[in-house]
Amino acid sequence: MHSRWRQLRAYMKRQGLVPESRLARFTLYLLGVDVFLILYQWVMVKLRGPGAASVDGWIWFLSYLSAFLFLIVALRWFRKRLMWALRNRLIVTYVFIGVIPVVLLIGLGLLMLYLFVGQFATYVASSDLQMEIRRLDAVNERLAS
């Protein structure tokens, strides 16, 4: 029997169902007391006992307090889970908005530089060829005259 409780607790811990903070444990404790009082009231109503109406105020108070504290615990849990996912989304967004355009601009600049260097090399080569053609033309003119 002890092993089953240990297995159940280990399973609940793996699933994240075991309350770890003091507030979560206190909320669970209040919820347990509230359920006990509801069961007590139900038994007293069935037995037509005089204590059924005496716990009604406590039940309402503990129910509202448990709901409020559970809301706080749930918001903490939700914020912890959501903020992790939101942080990852924001990192991806910042990469796409901030880093990718810079990489694209650098790539575009390098491509333009490559094309400019190619054009300049073509201009220098054709200029040298034209100068050589003029020089040979001048030599031919001298030899022909």
Side-chain angles (χ1 to χ4, degrees):
M1 182 71 179
H2 185 63
S3 175
R4 282 192 181 256
W5 285 112
R6 192 173 283 175
Q7 287 175 350
L8 178 65
R9 183 162 176 84
Y11 173 76
M12 289 176 63
K13 192 165 190 141
R14 278 194 310 268
Q15 298 300 322
L17 299 174
V18 176
E20 296 179 10
S21 69
R22 281 192 230 168
L23 182 63
R25 284 192 295 265
F26 182 69
T27 303
L28 192 61
Y29 171 74
L30 283 181
L31 189 63
V33 171
D34 193 28
V35 167
F36 174 75
L37 288 178
I38 289 171
L39 290 175
Y40 173 77
Q41 185 184 30
W42 181 74
V43 167
M44 284 296 142
V45 165
K46 291 293 182 189
L47 296 177
R48 300 189 200 292
S54 65
V55 294
D56 198 34
W58 280 106
I59 290 174
W60 282 104
F61 173 72
L62 290 176
S63 295
Y64 284 124
L65 185 61
S66 297
F68 178 71
L69 293 176
F70 179 76
L71 182 66
I72 292 173
V73 170
L75 284 175
R76 281 182 179 176
W77 179 85
F78 186 70
R79 187 186 69 193
K80 187 172 95 175
R81 303 284 181 189
L82 178 71
M83 289 310 226
W84 175 256
L86 181 63
R87 187 185 77 185
N88 290 342
R89 287 183 197 139
L90 284 176
I91 288 171
V92 170
T93 303
Y94 291 154
V95 165
F96 279 124
I97 289 175
V99 175
I100 299 295
V102 171
V103 170
L104 289 175
L105 287 174
I106 289 172
L108 189 63
L110 290 173
L111 178 66
M112 287 177 18
L113 183 66
Y114 176 75
L115 292 174
F116 175 74
V117 167
Q119 286 289 95
F120 186 69
T122 304
Y123 169 74
V124 168
S126 72
S127 175
D128 283 347
L129 282 173
Q130 289 296 328
M131 191 169 60
E132 190 65 30
I133 289 173
R134 276 189 244 123
R135 190 182 68 77
L136 285 174
D137 210 20
V139 168
N140 267 349
E141 286 287 327
R142 246 185 293 144
L143 284 176
S145 63

